[in-house]
Amino acid sequence: MDAGLITSMLFATVVAGTPLIIVALGLLVSEKAGVLNLGAEGMMAMGAVAAFAVTHHSGSAWLGVLAGMGAGMAMALIFGVLTLSLLANQVASGLALAIFGVGLAAFVGKPYEAVALQTVPPIRIPFIADLPIVGEALYNQQALVYFSWALFWGLLWFLYRSRAGLVLRAVGESPSSAHAIGYAVIRIRYLAVLFGGAMAGISGAFLSVFYTPMWAEGMVAGRGWIALALVVFATWRPLRVMMGAYLFGGVMITQLFIQGSGLQIDFPSQLLSSLPYWATIVVLVIISRNANTIRLNSPLSLGKPYRPDA
């Protein structure tokens, strides 16, 4: 295997894992605050179609990203009103949001199915990008790839090194205790849910504007559900979330290279296409095989409604 092929596969793996990192880290913040939002697939779909439409009409990819972020936040706000203000069941509301978002995105995106956008040029970091193999693969990337890395480090600092992160985790562990010492639990949870929606929208925008600059119904392709699984099986740890996302991206790119190489393999193409999902789930299950680890790291109030005056 020559260096050029390794560079190409590494480059493609990073790109394929980026949308998962962004949406999964957003969901991690929401769940750390005690809110379980299963609507990631719908928020990503709405973010993707909104970003594509605005980019198509305005000619600006960054306006498209902002539109995708706004669409994701709007969907998250609906979920927040239902579950935080009206105390609806979080699981049922999240599932409904996912179905509603995917369906609405398909309807809104119908006029754009035959439209293609111009490819957004990557940002090359001087000198570092000249390193062999890793330079071209890691430092000649789209801006949102660098954003995902900054998001990871920023979130790591926020959750474990800042007072605000400590408060967020306290709200997820014991909202009644946090409320008793004066913290606005519902407001903090709203902010966490909106942040998760914003990240899902940006992730969807990456898919439709940067990754494959086109709109197609079903282009999210289950990434929202994979992101939800990543957060749980990674035991709510940002580093494991990132590793799982790149694992998914790596296996997906590998099976695409195998299918495109013309190798004669006695495997149905559908089975090869499912390999990324199987590999991600199997590895993360192995990592988190100790059920006590998940219980110890899971926010104690995850998925439980809270009424401040109760």
Side-chain angles (χ1 to χ4, degrees), residues 43-287:
M43 294 188 295
M44 287 182 69
M46 286 302 298
V49 71
F52 185 90
V54 170
T55 302
H56 171 64
H57 291 293
S58 69
S60 170
W62 297 110
L63 283 178
V65 171
L66 289 176
M69 182 174 68
M73 292 179 72
M75 295 289 287
L77 181 61
I78 295 173
F79 174 83
V81 170
L82 289 173
T83 59
L84 301 179
S85 296
L86 302 180
L87 300 182
N89 182 276
Q90 293 183 14
V91 173
S93 299
L95 291 173
L97 187 73
I99 296 169
F100 171 70
V102 170
L104 182 60
F107 174 75
V108 173
K110 276 294 180 185
Y112 302 102
E113 287 184 342
V115 180
L117 299 176
Q118 288 187 344
T119 303
V120 180
I123 297 176
R124 182 181 179 86
I125 299 179
F127 306 113
I128 305 179
D130 296 326
L131 294 172
I133 301 178
V134 296
E136 193 68 26
L138 301 181
Y139 302 107
N140 187 27
Q141 287 281 5
Q142 297 288 351
L144 287 183
V145 173
Y146 303 129
F147 168 78
S148 71
W149 299 343
L151 177 65
F152 166 75
W153 288 110
L155 191 58
L156 209 59
W157 175 85
F158 171 78
L159 287 176
Y160 302 109
R161 292 291 184 270
S162 73
R163 180 181 177 85
L166 178 62
V167 171
L168 178 81
R169 289 186 288 130
V171 166
E173 295 294 335
S174 179
S176 57
S177 298
H179 175 72
I181 59 176
Y183 291 111
V185 171
I186 300 301
R187 185 180 68 183
I188 292 170
R189 286 188 166 184
Y190 259 111
L191 291 174
V193 167
L194 289 173
F195 177 80
M199 294 304 102
I202 292 175
S203 179
F206 179 83
L207 290 174
S208 64
V209 177
F210 295 87
Y211 189 42
T212 54
M214 57 177 289
W215 164 255
E217 183 180 344
M219 71 181 305
V220 177
R223 288 177 176 85
W225 302 113
I226 287 290
L228 284 162
L230 280 177
V231 174
V232 176
F233 288 125
T235 59
W236 292 270
R237 297 179 185 178
L239 179 59
R240 286 187 176 184
V241 167
M242 178 172 270
M243 291 170 59
Y246 283 139
L247 169 69
F248 176 89
V251 178
M252 184 173 72
I253 294 305
T254 300
Q255 62 90 13
L256 288 176
F257 269 80
I258 290 173
Q259 292 188 47
S261 66
L263 294 175
Q264 298 298 320
I265 301 177
D266 292 331
F267 277 95
S269 60
Q270 295 86 348
L271 182 60
L272 281 175
S273 299
S274 70
L275 282 180
Y277 302 92
W278 284 110
T280 303
I281 292 171
V282 168
V283 171
L284 289 175
V285 167
I286 292 172
I287 289 173

